[in-house]
Amino acid sequence: MTGKQRIINALTFQDFDRVPIEALDAAGTPYVYPDWFTGGKPGVIGRYKDGWGCVWEVLEEGVCGEVKVHPLADWSALKTFRPPYDILKRADFSQVNRSCEEQKDKFIINEWEPAMPNIFERMQHLRGTEQLFMDLAYGDAEIYQLRDMLQEYFLIQMEIWCKTDVDAVHIHDDWGTQISLLISPEMWREYFKPMYKQYCDLAKKYKKFVVMHSDGYIESILPDLIEIGVNAINSQLFCMPIEKLAEKYHHKICFWGEIDRQYVQPFGTVQDMYNACDRIASAFFPYGKTGFVAIGYYTMNTPEENKKAEFDRWEYISGRLDSYRR
């Protein structure tokens, strides 16, 4: 079974020969957004500006940094603000389809920003996180204007990717704290659910899978994501009750999950890594051909023995899949 078929089977709740692992079975594809970062770049200490005009500051090597200058901190700037259509028009996608063909045995998905929609995070970057939350609470007309302006851009961007040979398109917005959504589920449904539905509808039109990423505790909106057509949720499983997720949502959405990267990956033992994999397997696999994809990527400070432990444990579990099934 190829890596591509293995992941497709997980997304469609069919059997697989071993536990699918993103790092082994999936791949990205090269593309170029010219002049997206200027004056510096992510992962290098200092400041840089992104294609939207947001100024980021990096204080630690290897991280993207934090936005320090918000172009729309004052609503008066919205009158003349425009999304970076010029960069999108000059983007080079010429290698995408060739790369898909060269990696035809792998599941191909477009990767992180600037290649995918992140409407909530971009609104924070442009406006400032604290200010955006106040905007949402007050419900002023400008917040709808900004949202709709970004949505128009992101739909054009997503359609460009949907017209390529990738297998799936990616949506990325971090919605959770450690214990709940960052806003109420009702507000999320009013402001943002219709935006994500448009992404999903567009992807389905082109017969692409939809993988959405969100960190944090997001269980309250999983039924909504299922309803609008998200195929897989790349989430922090260990922020939520894993057993409850498996019981309620098996065969409804694929969990593109990860081993806890806040504690277990960087600070746990090899046995802790084994235990984490075992917990996921014991939660999901008793329901049979359940959708699950492991990730196999790590924080910068994860020990090598812990990385190896995850791959070893998934191999061990893969040889015993039948023993989990009821």
Side-chain angles (χ1 to χ4, degrees):
M1 185 177 290
T2 65
K4 173 182 287 193
Q5 192 60 56
R6 196 171 286 120
I7 289 184
I8 289 175
N9 282 15
L11 292 170
T12 56
F13 314 113
Q14 300 179 65
D15 214 351
F16 38 71
D17 57 344
R18 68 159 170 79
V19 176
I21 302 174
E22 179 184 352
L24 299 179
D25 298 317
T29 180
Y31 65 95
V32 177
Y33 278 54
D35 307 317
W36 188 259
F37 299 119
T38 57
K41 59 183 180 180
V44 178
I45 292 175
R47 286 197 168 197
Y48 64 92
K49 183 184 289 188
D50 68 24
W52 293 84
C54 303
V55 178
W56 297 67
E57 184 173 27
V58 179
L59 298 178
E60 180 183 0
E61 292 286 334
V63 299
C64 65
E66 182 178 352
V67 178
K68 293 297 185 181
V69 178
H70 309 281
L72 298 181
D74 190 315
W75 272 136
S76 63
L78 185 60
K79 295 177 182 178
T80 57
F81 181 79
R82 295 293 180 272
Y85 286 108
D86 59 325
I87 294 179
L88 194 60
K89 289 176 182 178
R90 291 185 290 120
D92 182 359
F93 296 90
S94 62
Q95 302 300 312
V96 173
N97 287 352
R98 187 173 74 177
S99 176
C100 291
E101 176 60 27
E102 291 172 347
Q103 304 179 94
K104 61 185 177 182
D105 289 342
K106 295 202 172 186
F107 186 85
I108 308 298
I109 182 169
N110 69 325
E111 298 182 357
W112 304 89
E113 191 182 19
M116 48 62 187
N118 61 334
I119 190 167
F120 175 56
E121 290 192 350
R122 182 49 64 184
M123 290 171 77
Q124 292 179 67
H125 299 162
L126 291 169
R127 196 70 180 121
T129 299
E130 183 178 350
Q131 184 60 59
L132 179 65
F133 286 143
M134 289 191 288
D135 296 336
L136 292 168
Y138 286 119
D140 294 336
E142 289 89 347
I143 195 65
Y144 290 96
Q145 184 180 345
L146 175 60
R147 181 199 65 178
D148 294 346
M149 180 190 297
L150 299 189
Q151 183 70 356
E152 181 180 340
Y153 173 90
F154 284 132
L155 285 171
I156 292 172
Q157 178 193 52
M158 175 167 273
E159 186 159 27
I160 291 172
W161 279 102
C162 285
K163 288 180 177 179
T164 71
D165 294 339
V166 298
D167 298 301
V169 287
H170 204 175
I171 305 169
H172 173 209
D173 269 320
D174 285 339
W175 275 110
T177 69
Q178 292 293 115
I179 59 173
S180 68
L181 285 190
L182 286 161
I183 62 176
S184 71
E186 293 75 22
M187 182 178 286
W188 181 88
R189 293 178 185 117
E190 175 186 353
Y191 281 100
F192 295 101
K193 181 178 178 180
M195 307 300 105
Y196 295 128
K197 184 179 187 303
Q198 289 180 8
Y199 302 147
C200 292
D201 289 346
L202 184 60
K204 301 309 176 187
K205 173 184 173 181
Y206 288 95
K207 296 180 171 53
K208 305 297 183 183
F209 292 102
V210 177
V211 178
M212 181 169 175
H213 168 86
S214 176
D215 285 342
Y217 197 110
I218 59 168
E219 197 274 333
S220 60
I221 60 171
L222 286 180
D224 299 279
L225 299 181
I226 293 167
E227 175 193 327
I228 64 176
V230 172
N231 298 106
I233 182 71
N234 166 218
S235 62
Q236 289 179 285
L237 283 176
F238 286 78
C239 283
M240 297 179 280
I242 295 172
E243 293 76 16
K244 177 182 176 182
L245 298 182
E247 180 181 0
K248 290 182 67 174
Y249 304 113
H250 67 85
H251 294 84
K252 295 179 180 179
I253 193 168
C254 176
F255 287 88
W256 200 290
E258 64 178 26
I259 302 304
D260 173 26
R261 56 182 153 87
Q262 294 176 287
Y263 304 104
V264 176
Q265 279 190 21
F267 306 119
T269 63
V270 166
Q271 187 60 52
D272 291 330
M273 293 291 287
Y274 289 168
N275 292 344
C277 294
D278 290 346
R279 182 182 176 192
I280 292 172
S282 296
F284 284 97
F285 296 158
Y287 296 101
K289 301 170 184 178
T290 311
F292 176 76
V293 177
I295 292 182
Y297 293 114
Y298 309 96
T299 57
M300 292 185 297
N301 54 346
T302 298
E304 289 300 318
E305 58 268 24
N306 283 4
K307 297 176 184 179
K308 182 177 183 300
E310 180 178 4
F311 285 90
D312 289 347
R313 200 59 173 182
W314 288 129
E315 182 179 359
Y316 174 85
I317 290 169
S318 294
R320 293 159 177 78
L321 287 174
D322 288 342
S323 68
Y324 289 95
R325 293 170 177 163
R326 293 171 177 170

